[in-house]
mmCIF file of all heavy atoms in Angstrom:
data_model
loop_
_atom_site.group_PDB
_atom_site.id
_atom_site.type_symbol
_atom_site.label_atom_id
_atom_site.label_comp_id
_atom_site.label_asym_id
_atom_site.label_seq_id
_atom_site.Cartn_x
_atom_site.Cartn_y
_atom_site.Cartn_z
ATOM 1 N N ALA W 22 -20.229 0.031 2.451
ATOM 2 C CA ALA W 22 -19.023 0.606 1.845
ATOM 3 C C ALA W 22 -17.786 -0.236 2.135
ATOM 4 O O ALA W 22 -16.989 -0.523 1.228
ATOM 5 C CB ALA W 22 -18.812 2.035 2.340
ATOM 6 N N LYS W 30 -10.771 -5.774 -3.300
ATOM 7 C CA LYS W 30 -9.432 -5.304 -2.927
ATOM 8 C C LYS W 30 -8.328 -5.976 -3.731
ATOM 9 O O LYS W 30 -7.323 -5.352 -4.073
ATOM 10 C CB LYS W 30 -9.212 -5.540 -1.427
ATOM 11 C CG LYS W 30 -7.981 -4.848 -0.872
ATOM 12 C CD LYS W 30 -7.943 -4.936 0.640
ATOM 13 C CE LYS W 30 -6.770 -4.159 1.201
ATOM 14 N NZ LYS W 30 -6.746 -4.202 2.682
ATOM 15 N N ASN W 205 -8.867 14.007 -10.291
ATOM 16 C CA ASN W 205 -7.908 12.923 -10.070
ATOM 17 C C ASN W 205 -7.157 12.602 -11.357
ATOM 18 O O ASN W 205 -7.686 12.750 -12.456
ATOM 19 C CB ASN W 205 -8.616 11.659 -9.593
ATOM 20 C CG ASN W 205 -9.147 11.770 -8.180
ATOM 21 O OD1 ASN W 205 -8.938 12.771 -7.501
ATOM 22 N ND2 ASN W 205 -9.844 10.744 -7.734
#
Side-chain angles (χ1 to χ4, degrees):
K30 192 171 184 178
N205 289 356

